[in-house]
Amino acid sequence: MLAQQHRMRTSTQFSMTTRSGVRSGRRNLVLYASRSEGSSPSIAGFVVSKAVGNAVVRNRVKRRLRELAAESVRENPNGLAFVVRALPASADATWDDLARDYRSARRSLRKKLGEPDFEEGRDPSIVGARDEQ
């Protein structure tokens, strides 16, 4: 569950993140991210349009995305704002497909923002150094 302090509420927050941040798209979603003040809590927002499906489908997609965003907030509790936009393909996506696309887009955004990727507790620079030997 995503705590209330980590939820994006105003249209200004959404537009600032989507317009001034970096973007990474996948088959089922598009992820936007931007840096916010270092001491402010990370916030997440979701855009799930009617093109995704009826209310039941949209709410299911949103619940899944909220759970994935909660992972990102736990990893980066301060200084990030991100928006997840669900694409129509997300209506038929399995949990695993949606999670794979989200994590892949998140890794891509980390690179674009200049942050190290510590996926599953492994520093890629160390892994790459071992692979070259």
Side-chain angles (χ1 to χ4, degrees):
M1 190 66 183
L2 196 58
Q4 189 170 1
Q5 68 190 20
H6 295 292
R7 294 182 193 163
M8 199 173 281
R9 297 283 182 195
T10 66
S11 62
T12 305
Q13 292 172 320
F14 279 89
S15 61
M16 289 285 287
T17 303
T18 56
R19 291 183 181 153
S20 66
V22 293
R23 173 187 185 277
S24 181
R26 298 293 182 266
R27 182 177 189 276
N28 296 305
L29 56 90
V30 179
L31 190 59
Y32 302 88
S34 67
R35 292 190 193 279
S36 56
E37 296 100 38
S39 62
S40 66
S42 291
I43 55 174
F46 305 92
V47 178
V48 185
S49 74
K50 286 186 178 182
V52 172
N54 64 26
V56 173
V57 173
R58 290 193 313 267
N59 285 327
R60 183 182 68 229
V61 168
K62 201 181 310 181
R63 278 193 311 270
R64 290 176 173 182
L65 293 174
R66 217 179 286 131
E67 183 59 36
L68 292 166
E71 276 180 26
S72 296
V73 169
R74 281 191 294 272
E75 290 175 7
N76 294 35
N78 295 319
L80 273 182
F82 55 96
V83 172
V84 184
R85 182 167 52 96
L87 299 177
S90 64
D92 299 323
T94 65
W95 166 255
D96 292 332
D97 291 339
L98 205 55
R100 188 177 318 111
D101 281 355
Y102 180 85
R103 290 178 182 129
S104 173
R106 186 177 66 192
R107 277 192 302 274
S108 175
L109 289 180
R110 281 181 157 181
K111 289 177 187 174
K112 290 178 181 179
L113 289 171
E115 294 179 4
D117 185 8
F118 296 107
E119 189 72 25
E120 298 178 16
R122 296 171 51 181
D123 184 349
S125 62
I126 295 170
V127 173
R130 278 191 230 139
D131 292 341
E132 292 174 2
Q133 293 175 347

